[in-house]
Amino acid sequence: MGFDFNSLDHVFFMREALKEAELAMKAGERPIGAVIVHRGKIVGRGKAEHLEKHSRFAHAELNALLATAQSLYDFPHDDAVIYTTLEPCEMCLGAIVMSDVVNHVVYSLADNWINPKPMFEIPHVQRHIYNYLGGVLEEESAALWTQCRPDELLLIREGHK
């Protein structure tokens, strides 16, 4: 039985990523959360932890990748998916590609401020990311930003003007 990306319950897994985002928000961080799913099970979780870890590298996606790295190291990765509440920035997308752990990306809120979409013109990125799906529970993710950082939500939604 092969992997079927479209048969996954994207809403269920995005709700799990939103739980991580809520934890980040309660800690005073940006409300960004991520989970990594392999064979229908969550194998890694991460949330934004810039303040807690005093690190600009403590992005939710990187934390989820680090939490997952050991459990997926020896497995084929064509069926691993990262769910993140904000479209991954260039650093996180680069880490997803270079880690060779995850080949499918599902995000909630598109990031028109950073706008990493041009990275998909790079052939190496195209070889590693098989699915890139956005908009899953977008309004739920935006609601978290509205609660704590409405000015940043405006930038995320509208980009640079």
Side-chain angles (χ1 to χ4, degrees):
M1 183 171 170
F3 173 73
D4 182 6
F5 173 79
N6 294 315
S7 71
L8 291 173
D9 189 345
H10 299 307
V11 170
F12 173 81
F13 292 118
M14 189 59 72
R15 285 197 195 290
E16 292 298 311
L18 282 164
K19 289 177 184 176
E20 296 298 316
E22 288 174 10
L23 292 172
M25 182 180 71
K26 288 176 183 173
E29 303 278 359
R30 287 183 170 90
I32 306 170
V35 297
I36 296 177
V37 175
H38 182 250
R39 298 185 179 158
K41 293 184 180 181
I42 295 173
V43 294
R45 293 176 175 272
K47 61 186 180 297
E49 294 179 315
H50 301 96
L51 300 172
E52 180 180 329
K53 293 185 177 179
H54 198 71
S55 171
R56 298 201 186 271
F57 297 105
H59 289 214
E61 298 90 344
L62 295 181
N63 289 334
L65 283 168
L66 289 169
T68 305
Q70 222 173 16
S71 66
L72 288 183
Y73 187 79
D74 293 325
F75 292 100
H77 309 103
D78 291 351
D79 56 357
V81 182
I82 189 165
Y83 291 84
T84 182
T85 59
L86 181 65
E87 185 175 19
C89 69
E90 293 98 331
M91 178 177 69
C92 292
L93 189 56
I96 290 165
V97 168
M98 297 308 293
S99 70
D100 202 26
V101 171
V102 174
N103 292 105
H104 310 274
V105 176
V106 180
Y107 62 90
S108 183
L109 188 59
D111 191 343
N112 295 310
W113 182 16
I114 292 179
N115 189 21
K117 289 170 189 70
M119 285 187 66
F120 285 95
E121 296 173 16
I122 301 169
H124 184 72
V125 173
Q126 292 173 352
R127 283 192 298 273
H128 285 269
I129 303 295
Y130 305 152
N131 290 289
Y132 194 73
L133 174 66
V136 177
L137 299 180
E138 179 179 354
E139 291 310 311
E140 287 85 340
S141 184
L144 294 178
W145 286 87
T146 299
Q147 289 178 45
C148 63
R149 296 175 187 245
D151 54 330
E152 287 185 32
L153 176 61
L154 186 63
L155 286 172
I156 289 167
R157 286 216 154 140
E158 295 185 11
H160 298 281
K161 296 272 181 184

